[in-house]
Amino acid sequence: MLKQVKNVTIKGQKKISSVLLFFYALEKKMGNLSQTSAPVYEALERFRKKRVVPFDVPGHKRGRGNPELRELLGEKCVNLDVNSMKPLDNLCHPVSVIRDAEELAAEAFGAAHAFFMVGGTTSSVQSMVLSSCKAGDKIILPRNVHKSVINALVLNGAIPVYINPQVDSKLGISLGMEIGEVAKAIKANPDATAVLVNNPTYYGICSDLRSIVKLAHEHNMLCLVDEAHGTHFYFGKNMPVNAMAAGADMASVSMHKSGGSLTQSSLLLTGPNVNWEYVSQIINLTQTTSASYLLLSSLDISRRNLYMRGEASFGKVQEMAEYAREEINSIGGFYAYGRELKNGSSIYDFDVTKLSVYTRDIGLAGIEVYDLLRDEYDIQIEFGDIANILAYISIGDRIQDIERLVGALADIKRLYSKDPSQMLNTEYIAPKVVVSPQKAFYAKDESLPIRETAGRICSEFVMCYPPGIPILAPGEVITKDIIDYIIYAKEKGCSMQGPEDPDVNNINVLV
């Protein structure tokens, strides 16, 4: 129906945008919108065909003012890099095409409401936390959270109640939240407002999400899920349970990771008992008022793609990951771990699409294998830590790419293996929190050489990125083990982030 009005001449004071919105509303009322629709993308296409003269921002004016940008991104891309306007709706207060796209996303993901987010899943996670607690409130969470969670606590002054996760002593990775440990934390902190869960972790570890949600609700607490790496749980078969199916109140979903949308685009999902209008107000405290329509349309198109093809696509992803796991383990020296780790508690389930590989037995840190793959074999994987690598496999991968990765790992073992006996123990070091993140971050501090900071209280973050899980966060006591770990990670080539000193030779501590 919309196509029929594109050549109509509008006389008098009536504006074409009003006519478009009228017919769009009529089309929706007639029931023509479905999961095969992509409202934002379709509105952009209608807009592009009209050849509107721009006297608004962005200033490149469809790329004419920046020819290098136009050459880099292409004519169609710069033509769709536009500002909010009536025919295209506004992310801060959606009333038409964005609203409808969010409703379709909510339906596809089994949520009561879905928000399109253009500040990455960092913005989604922080909006969850800021919506659930305020200054002085307690929130129960695992210590191995992404830095965005603790950043939110710095912003709003909430108090973290950390559950230090169990650790696989061989792999050196943090495991999931055990229901017994969550119950202890709730009993000791009955005034907490929420429980936050990482599900899955970067390495593929899943917690007993249904039981955690049930326990939180029994004690009148919200359950929030950082589901950055779990988009595929909503569409694939034989996957761990997704947050909305488990009854969670909110979930942050990185569509750009395994869902195929553009980098920085994300979703925030809410359940039926959440006041989504209030969450919308919280989002608008920090989210841009100049949302990128390239990001918004990529969310819209990706949701449609996953709804229509996700089950088949993620079935192939699982097959490729399991094939890669088998082939890598046949090399010897490497350990690509999977469902065999499940123990019913700290590893309740495992996401087999995560190709996590333990490298320490060949005498190389994960970050060293990461660097070799990139520098010597032109293979870019997701990350390497002290003892593991992660190759992210998703809907855009091909079996020939898997074969190339397996061959490169076999070559690395043959050419670069070392004696592993001198390597640092990779176990997670449980921090001691003595000051709230907000108080420590804004307190008076001083910069000291890292070797002189043992016993002092950290006032900043120190982390390897990726994965972005802080080794130290504001308010935590610095120990010799933590210092040794940071120095070792630097020596092995980990990308260190967080401190004011970019070389991480000094750390800021409370005075």
Side-chain angles (χ1 to χ4, degrees):
M1 181 174 290
L2 281 170
K3 291 181 180 178
Q4 297 175 5
V5 304
K6 68 177 183 177
N7 295 318
V8 173
T9 301
I10 307 299
K11 297 181 179 180
Q13 299 300 312
K14 293 182 181 180
K15 297 181 179 179
I16 188 65
S17 60
S18 300
V19 174
L20 287 171
L21 289 174
F22 169 78
F23 280 106
Y24 187 85
L26 182 62
E27 183 177 64
K28 186 183 179 188
K29 187 174 180 181
M30 294 173 64
N32 292 335
L33 283 176
S34 70
Q35 288 294 334
T36 60
S37 302
V40 176
Y41 168 71
E42 291 159 6
L44 278 172
E45 282 294 283
R46 291 192 295 270
F47 175 80
R48 184 176 65 87
K49 292 174 182 177
K50 288 183 58 60
R51 302 177 67 84
V52 172
V53 178
F55 283 101
D56 61 350
V57 297
H60 63 70
K61 300 298 176 83
R62 315 295 188 261
R64 293 195 300 269
N66 193 339
E68 290 86 0
L69 180 68
R70 189 184 189 94
E71 182 179 355
L72 173 67
L73 299 181
E75 183 175 352
K76 185 169 185 179
C77 185
V78 292
N79 279 340
L80 296 181
D81 182 32
V82 295
N83 193 27
S84 296
M85 59 189 75
K86 283 186 178 180
L88 299 181
D89 209 355
N90 190 303
L91 184 62
C92 295
H93 186 76
V95 296
S96 60
V97 293
I98 296 176
R99 178 196 61 192
D100 292 335
E102 289 182 336
E103 288 179 0
L104 289 173
E107 180 182 72
F109 282 80
H113 195 87
F115 294 96
F116 279 13
M117 307 294 289
V118 295
T121 305
T122 288
S123 180
S124 300
V125 167
Q126 291 179 346
S127 295
M128 282 199 312
V129 175
L130 296 175
S131 298
S132 305
C133 51
K134 57 184 184 299
D137 286 345
K138 296 177 183 176
I139 179 171
I140 297 169
L141 65 162
R143 175 54 181 77
N144 60 319
V145 290
H146 187 265
K147 68 174 183 176
S148 59
V149 178
I150 305 177
N151 283 344
L153 304 184
V154 170
L155 292 174
N156 77 347
I159 308 300
V161 176
Y162 288 129
I163 297 175
N164 283 312
Q166 281 195 16
V167 174
D168 185 297
S169 58
K170 174 181 172 64
L171 303 177
I173 63 172
S174 302
L175 306 181
M177 290 176 78
E178 293 189 88
I179 190 67
E181 293 301 311
V182 177
K184 287 180 186 177
I186 289 176
K187 184 177 180 180
N189 301 274
D191 54 341
T193 62
V195 177
L196 185 143
V197 189
N198 295 331
N199 204 74
T201 69
Y202 229 134
Y203 301 92
I205 307 298
C206 297
S207 302
D208 184 357
L209 195 53
R210 282 195 173 96
S211 296
I212 293 173
V213 170
K214 183 174 182 290
L215 187 61
H217 288 172
E218 286 173 352
H219 292 82
N220 298 312
M221 298 178 188
L222 296 172
C223 187
L224 320 176
V225 183
D226 181 349
E227 206 170 27
H229 297 276
T231 305
H232 45 292
F233 289 1
Y234 290 87
F235 301 98
K237 276 188 172 181
N238 303 314
M239 296 278 189
V241 66
N242 65 67
M244 290 294 105
D249 298 291
M250 286 188 265
S252 299
V253 181
S254 281
M255 277 288 279
H256 71 91
K257 289 186 169 70
S258 61
S261 64
L262 289 177
T263 296
Q264 200 175 311
S265 59
S266 181
L267 294 175
L268 175 55
L269 308 176
T270 62
N273 298 317
V274 171
N275 181 348
W276 68 265
E277 292 94 341
Y278 174 70
V279 176
S280 178
Q281 289 183 312
I282 296 294
I283 290 171
N284 282 333
L285 291 177
T286 57
Q287 180 151 265
T288 179
T289 57
S290 304
S292 165
Y293 278 89
L294 299 176
L295 298 180
L296 295 175
S297 59
S298 81
L299 284 169
D300 200 19
I301 295 168
S302 297
R303 179 270 313 155
R304 180 174 67 179
N305 179 52
L306 294 183
Y307 188 89
M308 296 171 64
R309 308 178 185 93
E311 185 176 308
S313 296
F314 289 123
K316 292 178 182 176
V317 170
Q318 289 183 81
E319 290 176 4
M320 284 191 292
E322 292 286 43
Y323 170 74
R325 196 169 278 114
E326 182 179 337
E327 290 296 302
I328 291 169
N329 286 335
S330 71
I331 296 170
F334 295 107
Y335 174 34
Y337 38 97
R339 285 195 175 111
E340 73 279 358
L341 295 181
K342 288 168 59 174
N343 59 20
S345 56
S346 58
I347 310 175
Y348 186 79
D349 208 343
F350 189 85
D351 175 13
V352 297
T353 72
K354 300 292 186 297
L355 184 58
S356 302
V357 184
Y358 179 69
T359 66
R360 193 171 179 269
D361 283 347
I362 66 165
L364 294 176
I367 187 63
E368 292 175 306
V369 176
Y370 169 98
D371 287 338
L372 285 167
L373 284 169
R374 182 195 61 245
D375 297 341
E376 302 299 328
Y377 299 91
D378 294 329
I379 295 173
Q380 181 62 57
I381 58 172
E382 178 67 10
F383 80 86
D385 63 17
I386 298 299
N388 302 270
I389 59 171
L390 172 65
Y392 214 97
I393 301 176
S394 195
I395 56 179
D397 284 298
R398 307 168 299 172
I399 195 66
Q400 56 262 46
D401 300 325
I402 301 295
E403 297 282 8
R404 184 171 168 184
L405 173 63
V406 172
L409 289 176
D411 214 32
I412 286 171
K413 182 199 171 187
R414 179 175 60 85
L415 296 175
Y416 300 99
S417 291
K418 300 177 184 176
D419 179 4
S421 62
Q422 301 302 312
M423 299 187 73
L424 183 73
N425 187 307
T426 58
E427 262 191 53
Y428 165 82
I429 303 169
K432 181 181 179 182
V433 183
V434 294
V435 179
S436 76
Q438 184 184 65
K439 184 176 179 181
F441 186 83
Y442 290 109
K444 185 177 181 181
D445 59 13
E446 62 179 338
S447 177
L448 292 179
I450 188 170
R451 286 291 189 191
E452 298 176 19
T453 61
R456 302 293 292 270
I457 300 170
C458 189
S459 66
E460 58 185 356
F461 291 92
V462 183
M463 72 199 79
C464 299
Y465 192 87
I469 298 168
I471 302 167
L472 275 172
E476 296 177 354
V477 176
I478 304 170
T479 66
K480 182 180 181 301
D481 286 344
I482 290 173
I483 292 169
D484 289 342
Y485 187 97
I486 292 170
I487 292 172
Y488 183 79
K490 279 182 58 182
E491 290 173 349
K492 290 298 183 182
C494 290
S495 175
M496 307 300 293
Q497 294 188 10
E500 191 173 292
D501 173 12
D503 297 322
V504 201
N505 294 319
N506 283 33
I507 295 179
N508 289 349
V509 297
L510 300 192
V511 175

